[in-house]
Amino acid sequence: MELKAENIFKSFGEKEVLRDVSFEAQSGTALGLLGRNGAGKTTTIRIIMGVFFPDKGSISIDGKPINRDKIRIGYMPEERGLYPKIKICDQLVYLAQLRGMSKKDALTACDQWLERLSMSEYKTKKLETLSKGNQQKIQLIATLMCHPQIVILDEPFSGLDPVNAMLLKDVIKEMMADGAVVLFSSHQMNYIEEFCEKIAILNGGKVTVSGKIADIKRSYPRDRIAVTSPQHETIAPFILQNMSSHVTDVQSDEQDSNTVIVRLKDPAFKTRMLAELSEQQFDIDCFRVCEPSLNDIFVQYTEGGI
């Protein structure tokens, strides 16, 4: 299954919130929908869900207009939308029934998910008695009980301790393995890199960059090389002395004292540099191209308005 947003425009009054937004996501994969606060992510999500309708453009499934009566969508908002004074099981079953499940199936799914997330002991508790992290797990159960084909997760790891974060990671990977389309919105770039093959970054209501993370990183100049070695203090002057015509700068890595960062005039010289270092029998632990982090890419494409 392929979910596609094509040329989406949306305004509220005179304020244009989305301008020609397009992206796509496939079954079994996760798309990172990224952007600063106010970039248009929430409006885009609500259009996918049918809460709003675009002024122009379309949302399609496998090339046909999305039919939300037939496609199951699970949405986990950043701000919890559950009822604090109602028993957990009662509201989970109620919400599942609103999404088309029978009461019998909803009760069965409720028990299964509470057990899966180690929450069975809270079945008859009121939501307000739970910790923030456990409330987040209940919100996740509400999202997944109907076995959605499209799963939208907005800051799903907020408030979770490392153990529960690992549990949530396993659940997300299971959903992807089952063929769900996952849209993942988070400011925690380590999670985006872990789950998402593709990203779409919004800024000022427009998609400023989209595609596979690996391809985006490779599109940057590959002229910075990291050389890690216990002999880094010897390697740096050797490079400056013997390769000065091919090198513009050699610096120590601020985050790893055993690594030097070499900036090349021509990225193609890296193979020859490695050969010359090897000929000198330097003890090299790692030799790699310095690609930008996803955080670096995010900052570059979200600075200022578009």
Side-chain angles (χ1 to χ4, degrees):
M1 184 173 72
E2 181 180 68
L3 168 69
K4 183 178 288 187
E6 295 183 277
N7 311 116
I8 300 294
F9 288 79
K10 182 64 179 178
S11 296
F12 295 99
E14 296 183 356
K15 182 175 178 58
E16 190 175 42
V17 178
L18 298 178
R19 294 183 281 166
D20 201 20
V21 169
S22 298
F23 57 82
E24 58 190 47
Q26 288 77 33
S27 293
T29 64
L31 171 75
L33 189 61
L34 310 179
R36 295 167 62 184
N37 296 332
K41 302 189 302 298
T42 300
T43 300
T44 301
I45 288 170
R46 289 175 177 173
I47 287 174
I48 293 172
M49 295 174 62
V51 177
F52 300 144
F53 293 95
D55 300 329
K56 288 195 296 183
S58 63
I59 303 294
S60 62
I61 298 291
D62 294 333
K64 299 178 181 179
I66 186 171
N67 184 339
R68 296 177 183 85
D69 293 330
K70 295 183 178 180
I71 296 294
R72 299 183 302 277
I73 301 176
Y75 174 45
M76 182 176 178
E78 180 178 6
E79 298 296 330
R80 296 176 187 83
L82 300 179
Y83 302 99
K85 297 186 180 298
I86 296 178
K87 291 180 181 178
I88 286 167
C89 183
D90 291 346
Q91 60 180 306
L92 288 175
V93 170
Y94 169 70
L95 292 170
Q97 288 181 280
L98 287 181
R99 297 163 73 186
M101 293 184 75
S102 68
K103 186 173 184 179
K104 180 181 178 181
D105 288 344
L107 284 166
T108 299
C110 177
D111 288 339
Q112 290 174 342
W113 275 106
L114 286 171
E115 182 177 359
R116 173 72 177 81
L117 297 185
S118 303
M119 296 293 289
S120 296
E121 64 184 288
Y122 302 106
K123 179 177 179 178
T124 59
K125 301 290 186 181
K126 294 181 180 179
L127 188 74
E128 64 182 0
T129 65
L130 273 60
S131 67
K132 182 179 178 180
N134 281 338
Q135 288 185 30
Q136 187 81 335
K137 291 165 73 174
I138 297 300
Q139 184 81 62
L140 178 65
I141 292 173
T143 302
L144 302 180
M145 273 182 59
C146 70
H147 195 65
Q149 296 155 285
I150 300 172
V151 182
I152 304 171
L153 305 172
D154 193 352
E155 297 292 357
F157 292 95
S158 175
L160 295 182
D161 60 49
V163 173
N164 282 322
M166 286 293 297
L167 185 60
L168 177 52
K169 287 181 185 181
D170 291 341
V171 171
I172 294 173
K173 290 174 182 177
E174 287 173 11
M175 291 188 299
M176 293 168 62
D178 287 343
V181 175
V182 178
L183 297 185
F184 201 119
S185 180
S186 177
H187 290 124
Q188 295 173 283
M189 297 299 149
N190 57 315
Y191 291 127
I192 296 296
E193 294 217 55
E194 181 172 355
F195 291 107
C196 302
E197 179 182 356
K198 296 180 179 180
I199 58 170
I201 297 180
L202 288 167
N203 190 28
K206 292 184 65 176
V207 174
T208 54
V209 65
S210 65
K212 292 184 178 180
I213 296 174
D215 291 342
I216 294 170
K217 288 187 174 185
R218 287 190 65 86
S219 70
Y220 282 73
R222 304 179 68 77
D223 58 355
R224 294 174 67 244
I225 307 299
V227 183
T228 302
S229 168
Q231 297 173 282
H232 60 96
E233 293 181 348
T234 306
I235 286 176
F238 176 83
I239 291 173
L240 286 171
Q241 182 177 352
N242 296 277
M243 308 177 197
S244 58
S245 61
H246 300 282
V247 172
T248 60
D249 189 31
V250 180
Q251 293 185 352
S252 296
D253 187 347
E254 295 180 357
Q255 298 180 353
D256 183 354
S257 60
N258 289 327
T259 298
V260 293
I261 307 298
V262 183
R263 186 177 293 276
L264 305 176
K265 294 179 180 178
D266 181 357
F269 182 72
K270 63 179 179 292
T271 303
R272 181 175 162 188
M273 181 173 73
L274 176 59
E276 292 193 23
L277 292 175
S278 298
E279 287 176 6
Q280 297 299 314
Q281 297 186 340
F282 284 115
D283 182 9
I284 298 175
D285 295 330
C286 181
F287 184 95
R288 62 179 176 83
V289 174
C290 293
E291 292 182 329
S293 68
L294 184 54
N295 189 70
D296 294 333
I297 295 169
F298 178 86
V299 170
Q300 176 182 344
Y301 283 97
T302 59
E303 285 183 332
I306 300 298

